[in-house]
Amino acid sequence: MPDRGKIIDVHQLAVPGLPPTAPEQLRLTTTTDPDVPIAITVVAPATDRPETAVLTTAATLDPKLAYQLTHLETGTQWIVAPSLIGTALTVLIAAALVQNFVFTRYLGLCVFFGVSRKRDTAIGMGVTFTIVGCLSGALAWAIDRFVLGRLQLHFLQIIIFIGIIACLVQTVDTILRKVHRPLHRKFGIYVVLITTNCIILAVPLLNALNQRGFLESLALALGSGLGFALALFLMSCARERADLAPVPIVFRGLPIAFILAGLFALAFLGFSGLRV
Amino acid sequence: MSEPEFKLPTPSARELLWRGFFSENPVFRLALSLCPAVAVTTTAKNGLLMGIAVLAVQVLSSFTVVCVRRWIHDKVRIPVYTIIIATWVTVIDMCCAALVPAVYAEIGLYIKLIVAFAIIISRLELFASQQPLGPSLVDGFAMGLGFAFAMVLIGSLREALGGGTFWGIALLPDRPLLFLLLPAGGFFTIGLLMAAMNWIDLWRGRRLPGSGGGHA
């Protein structure tokens, strides 16, 4: 297992256990493109940590990419990569808040406007959707990676993913009915509605498009579910109030709900200042 | 599948077109297929392409369902319809990617997501699975056209008021309401258009539905 380095600035890289070396002795590349070396200008010992060297590069470094550093004489290797957990958390927070699927990507709106009338139904739908979404995200990732990828059948993605989701929804419904009847009476209706929610299809499609790993895929599924649940809950609270307010007659019902959603979307713009 | 015991009367073509455009407009009245209606309508051109794609999928799926419904067992009809829709969406998706790559780059994800639109499967379930071929095609066509009409209307409004252009041609010297192009603008535009349709209904002397437009 090679040692890990760390990107500390856009042009600087801290590498533990590297003795003072001439820049020509080192070769830095991205792991995806090992033929293109990145020029290193200065190698200096770090002032704050022992046994660590700080490399300065001419090109800017992207903390989201994975790099590989090789000492040409000794053959020692270092990996500079973002930690898996960190990336997954970034994806999760981005999906839930910064790029909330409902308010900034406008997905799942049919269900969103359909079940956001009452707070109870909103919570039920949010919880059910998050759980089923994680299951389908993981399953779709596995099938995409191990079946469609191996057989070069990427053009079948839409059909296969919707098939997986339909089967999964049916399975969850059946299992819930057999195993826990009261729970099924409470949540069964939401399970059936999940098939018409485009978020559940968008998550595997986005994962396949960006070629995400398993942990990141799961994070996107979880984040989208949490984001959807949050949006539903907020909206149901606002709509319960709007039902009691003296709304002009042509705006009653759905039109005012759209205006409310627009206001929420404006508020969620505030999250775009969050750099993740 | 056995024939239903009582059949709904088959409406005339004119009635079907009127329903698709106004009284049962998929976006403004049924409040189905809202995701693309908000997402891709930042320009009229994107809206039109999305509308045409949905129109094509709707007509082709209606046609397929009418042809094969004799052999579909009642219990598995929803999954079968979904697979039929997914097949046609794949075809349309590839056609769009080949024919209009520039627009496709912007709205490709939403074209793939046509599969999950409630409007298409609800038309199959409510109409094409019971009525003869001719009216089913007209119904699919009318609903698709109504959807495309709504998309172009929203797209034109947002593009003209938000960007000051129409169909890529500069229309206004500045951008009067830039925020219409933001995510929130789509929600506001649709809310106001829905209210406007309710207002027209009131003005024509008709009562509003209890929920105030939309069945949701």
Side-chain angles (χ1 to χ4, degrees):
Chain A
M1 180 81 191
D3 272 343
R4 296 182 75 92
K6 197 180 165 200
I7 294 176
I8 49 177
D9 199 6
V10 280
H11 289 285
Q12 289 195 319
L13 197 65
V15 184
L18 177 70
T21 331
E24 297 81 48
Q25 297 282 315
L26 296 168
R27 185 183 161 86
L28 178 69
T29 61
T30 58
T31 40
T32 45
D33 237 345
D35 298 330
V36 188
I38 299 165
I40 300 167
T41 49
V42 182
V43 180
T47 47
D48 51 344
R49 268 164 292 191
E51 310 241 329
T52 303
V54 174
L55 311 188
T56 309
T57 57
T60 48
L61 300 167
D62 185 351
K64 283 180 193 141
L65 291 180
Y67 295 91
Q68 184 179 332
L69 180 74
T70 318
H71 196 295
L72 291 179
E73 256 177 31
T74 58
T76 330
Q77 280 199 335
W78 289 268
I79 296 284
V80 185
S83 76
L84 266 181
I85 307 268
T87 324
L89 272 179
T90 309
V91 171
L92 191 141
I93 290 175
L97 294 177
V98 184
Q99 287 196 303
N100 185 286
F101 272 72
V102 175
F103 290 129
T104 65
R105 288 199 230 202
Y106 326 96
L107 292 174
L109 292 182
C110 304
V111 182
F112 175 68
F113 284 107
V115 299
S116 61
R117 288 223 125 165
K118 291 211 181 71
R119 217 177 301 178
D120 292 345
T121 49
I123 294 172
M125 185 74 207
V127 171
T128 319
F129 179 79
T130 310
I131 296 170
V132 179
C134 286
L135 288 177
S136 88
L139 200 60
W141 178 86
I143 297 217
D144 185 50
R145 175 63 55 93
F146 298 119
V147 182
L148 298 186
R150 295 264 164 87
L151 301 176
Q152 304 278 312
L153 286 177
H154 289 296
F155 65 95
L156 283 180
Q157 265 167 359
I158 303 174
I159 301 178
I160 299 287
F161 287 165
I162 195 77
I164 294 173
I165 292 162
C167 292
L168 187 76
V169 165
Q170 195 67 52
T171 317
V172 169
D173 188 58
T174 312
I175 292 178
L176 208 59
R177 185 166 40 206
K178 293 284 174 205
V179 173
H180 205 300
R181 243 172 198 280
L183 208 62
H184 179 260
R185 212 170 298 136
K186 204 167 172 199
F187 290 114
I189 177 76
Y190 306 123
V191 174
V192 180
L193 268 176
I194 284 175
T195 331
T196 57
N197 191 337
C198 20
I199 297 179
I200 202 151
L201 184 64
V203 166
L205 283 175
L206 283 172
N207 280 334
L209 192 73
N210 297 329
Q211 301 196 320
R212 290 205 171 93
F214 179 71
L215 212 56
E216 286 171 69
S217 300
L218 201 60
L220 188 76
L222 183 63
S224 67
L226 291 177
F228 182 67
L230 175 71
L232 261 185
F233 181 70
L234 289 175
M235 189 67 182
S236 63
C237 294
R239 278 181 84 173
E240 278 184 359
R241 299 251 173 144
D243 279 347
L244 300 174
V247 178
I249 184 157
V250 291
F251 274 98
R252 292 239 173 100
L254 273 179
I256 194 71
F258 267 89
I259 306 286
L260 285 172
L263 292 174
F264 274 123
L266 275 182
F268 267 73
L269 266 187
F271 284 118
S272 61
L274 250 176
R275 279 266 301 264
V276 285
Chain B
M1 172 181 150
S2 62
E3 289 291 309
E5 279 166 26
F6 79 98
K7 267 190 142 176
L8 293 166
T10 308
S12 69
R14 222 182 116 202
E15 166 72 21
L16 285 174
L17 277 170
W18 172 248
R19 276 194 204 167
F21 263 97
F22 195 87
S23 68
E24 285 183 22
N25 185 287
V27 177
F28 298 129
R29 275 299 143 87
L30 303 184
L32 296 171
S33 317
L34 294 169
C35 321
V38 190
V40 304
T41 51
T42 45
T43 67
K45 201 187 265 179
N46 289 0
L48 182 68
L49 179 68
M50 194 70 210
I52 292 174
V54 169
L55 175 67
V57 173
Q58 179 78 73
V59 172
L60 291 168
S61 315
S62 285
F63 176 73
T64 317
V65 164
V66 173
C67 291
V68 301
R69 67 182 171 196
R70 237 172 305 168
W71 300 291
I72 301 176
H73 192 271
D74 231 16
K75 283 226 160 125
V76 294
R77 67 184 193 285
I78 298 290
V80 174
Y81 292 169
T82 312
I83 297 297
I84 290 174
I85 298 172
T87 315
W88 284 118
V89 168
T90 309
V91 172
I92 299 293
D93 183 57
M94 288 173 173
C95 290
C96 287
L99 295 175
V100 278
V103 186
Y104 182 80
E106 278 181 56
I107 67 171
L109 177 65
Y110 295 95
I111 290 195
K112 289 191 170 82
L113 290 179
I114 292 177
V115 185
F117 290 177
I119 179 66
I120 294 176
I121 198 150
S122 82
R123 285 337 284 177
L124 297 186
E125 171 74 8
L126 292 176
F127 206 96
S129 63
Q130 291 159 17
Q131 301 278 4
L133 180 61
S136 294
L137 286 182
V138 176
D139 177 69
F141 189 72
M143 278 294 157
L145 217 56
F147 178 78
F149 160 70
M151 297 292 288
V152 173
L153 184 65
I154 303 167
S156 311
L157 272 177
R158 286 180 76 185
E159 192 183 349
L161 293 176
T165 60
F166 181 69
W167 216 258
I169 304 160
L171 200 68
L172 303 168
D174 57 347
R175 302 170 154 199
L177 284 169
L178 186 58
F179 95 104
L180 279 186
L181 290 181
L182 291 180
F187 289 114
F188 286 131
T189 316
I190 294 186
L192 292 175
L193 282 173
M194 271 182 175
M197 284 192 100
N198 281 347
W199 185 75
I200 293 174
D201 246 12
L202 269 188
W203 176 70
R204 285 171 64 232
R206 298 241 307 251
R207 259 163 43 92
L208 288 182
S211 58
H215 297 183

